[in-house]
Amino acid sequence: MTVYSPLKIIHHAEHLQSLRDSRHTAPVRIQLVPTNRCNQSCRGCAYRMAGYPSSETFDDQEELSWDKLQRIICDCVVMGVKAVEITGGGEPTVHPHFNDLCSLIVDSGIDLGVVTNGSIWSPRHAETLARAHWVRFSIDAGTATTYASYRQVSPVVYRLVRDHVRQLTDMQCHPDSLIGVGYVVNADNWRDVLQAAEYAKDDGADNFRISALFQPQGRQYFETFFGEARDLCKKAEGLATDTFTVFNLFGDRLGDLESGPPTASLCGYSRLTTYLGADSNAYTCCCNAYSAHGLIGSFRNQSFRRMWEAPTTQEKLLAVDATQCQRCMYNTKNETIAYAIDKNPKHVNFI
């Protein structure tokens, strides 16, 4: 089993029971977007991609105030939220209170995960990220040329980010922390995936996570390079050791793209985790963020807790129909949840 296992839900029996009983409870985890501003311009950014659901109402200048962020974390403590993932949207470290936010989360006893491009760096950033349960550097390139072209920045940034990965892995981090490098395979960078995995290993990362670009064309987007990209991703798996893991999710994500809309209506995922955007709205998931389809409520003029516990929010979550989504990267998780809450499962004693 890996840290991406869909079976992690079995450790939250009380939440599974609430789903069986159609009761509304606090999410186990929230994805929190402190800002939509970003210091890079990635060609494959889902939030800035025409025709993709999460670009529907996205405003790249929206940002949550420090006061609002503090109130959200206080609500999480009271509600019993167990983990917060700081992500984008934009680049989280652009927010002027990024370090304060991370420290508040950890000091509140909540597990912290961070997704960052890693280009904004200081001794305080390093100290802050060293306290997280996990950090994933989104790099998506195996050369400075590819990096600069895809992210539309100077080629020197690539070396700087790799140095930041190395600095963090050299620090005394949280005992359970994992420092990873993320690689989203696309038409611009697929040739670099093996080289990028080798660099991640050389730079001391604990893991290398391979995924596939979600975009409006679906699997067809990968047609001209699928076979070669698949083979390179498979070769990258061969770099794994006892201290370096390669999570090759490329095939899983292509399967999600090929499958299109889910065939089952239940979206247990949206009941166990939620996405809080920098626009002060809550959404069912990152795939449906910043879209009318994914909107479940606003915490602009009220607290996150009040919004989440409101009867209207419960009604919206109970009414979520996954078959109405264009595509889903949480199919396997939802299938696992559906089986776990089945009130009449067959042949369970034949283990």
Side-chain angles (χ1 to χ4, degrees):
M1 291 299 168
T2 75
V3 293
Y4 290 102
S5 171
L7 299 178
K8 287 189 285 187
I9 183 59
I10 66 175
H11 298 289
H12 301 281
E14 71 282 6
H15 284 80
L16 287 174
Q17 189 60 51
S18 72
L19 286 175
R20 289 190 197 96
D21 299 338
S22 296
R23 287 186 288 109
H24 185 53
T25 59
V28 177
R29 176 197 70 152
I30 65 168
Q31 288 180 288
L32 177 59
V33 179
T35 182
N36 284 342
R37 295 187 297 120
C38 191
N39 62 330
Q40 298 187 344
S41 299
C42 302
R43 298 184 187 280
C45 179
Y47 301 101
R48 296 162 176 81
M49 187 184 298
Y52 197 74
S54 53
S55 68
E56 186 179 297
T57 63
F58 183 82
D59 180 343
D60 64 8
Q61 293 305 303
E62 287 186 307
E63 186 169 275
L64 295 176
S65 70
W66 174 225
D67 180 65
K68 177 65 77 173
L69 289 168
Q70 291 177 88
R71 291 174 183 272
I72 289 171
I73 302 308
C74 288
D75 281 344
C76 286
V77 172
V78 174
M79 295 164 69
V81 173
K82 300 180 185 302
V84 173
E85 174 188 331
I86 299 180
T87 186
E91 165 51 36
T93 57
V94 168
H95 196 285
H97 288 279
F98 169 77
N99 291 303
D100 301 319
L101 175 60
C102 291
S103 295
L104 176 61
I105 291 168
V106 175
D107 291 341
S108 298
I110 297 174
D111 294 351
L112 171 66
V114 178
V115 180
T116 176
N117 63 35
S119 60
I120 297 175
W121 205 253
S122 70
R124 192 178 177 203
H125 282 92
E127 292 168 5
T128 296
L129 292 174
R131 301 182 70 195
H133 276 67
W134 59 264
V135 178
R136 185 165 71 242
F137 289 83
S138 299
I139 297 183
D140 309 319
T143 68
T145 301
T146 301
Y147 185 90
S149 174
Y150 185 68
R151 293 181 172 267
Q152 300 184 64
V153 294
S154 167
V156 301
V157 178
Y158 181 64
R159 182 67 255 183
L160 290 175
V161 173
R162 287 189 57 200
D163 286 344
H164 298 160
V165 173
R166 188 180 292 275
Q167 288 175 34
L168 190 59
T169 59
D170 285 343
M171 294 180 69
Q172 183 65 43
C173 298
H174 184 284
D176 296 326
S177 71
L178 292 175
I179 310 302
V181 170
Y183 200 100
V184 180
V185 176
N186 57 66
D188 298 310
N189 71 1
W190 64 267
R191 295 176 180 85
D192 289 8
V193 64
L194 182 58
Q195 179 65 73
E198 291 173 347
Y199 282 153
K201 184 177 181 179
D202 291 345
D203 294 339
D206 297 295
N207 63 85
F208 184 73
R209 178 184 183 268
I210 308 171
S211 188
L213 182 68
F214 263 48
Q215 27 63 44
Q217 292 177 260
R219 175 154 183 156
Q220 184 179 359
Y221 170 88
F222 296 90
E223 255 185 23
T224 59
F225 60 91
F226 164 71
E228 293 168 287
R230 176 200 57 204
D231 293 345
L232 286 172
C233 292
K234 189 65 179 177
K235 287 182 179 178
E237 289 184 47
L239 297 173
T241 65
D242 290 342
T243 57
F244 180 71
T245 306
V246 176
F247 299 113
N248 183 7
L249 308 181
F250 180 65
D252 292 343
R253 290 294 174 263
L254 282 183
D256 292 335
L257 285 169
E258 190 171 39
S259 298
T263 56
S265 60
L266 175 68
C267 180
Y269 182 85
S270 63
R271 306 271 295 282
L272 300 173
T273 184
T274 196
Y275 183 105
L276 304 186
D279 61 350
S280 297
N281 288 323
Y283 298 93
T284 54
C285 68
C286 60
C287 297
N288 292 317
Y290 302 104
S291 74
H293 174 67
L295 180 65
I296 58 175
S298 172
F299 52 92
R300 182 178 299 278
N301 298 314
Q302 61 181 328
S303 68
F304 163 55
R305 181 186 177 193
R306 183 179 291 274
M307 180 279 296
W308 184 263
E309 294 178 350
T312 51
T313 301
Q314 180 176 2
E315 291 168 6
K316 286 183 180 180
L317 285 170
L318 288 172
V320 170
D321 182 354
T323 64
Q324 299 304 305
C325 297
Q326 290 185 14
R327 56 189 61 84
C328 180
M329 65 173 65
Y330 305 111
N331 279 317
T332 303
K333 290 185 178 182
N334 275 327
E335 289 168 359
T336 303
I337 292 169
Y339 179 75
I341 66 173
D342 187 345
K343 294 181 179 179
N344 188 31
K346 307 300 182 185
H347 297 195
V348 296
N349 295 327
F350 289 90
I351 296 174

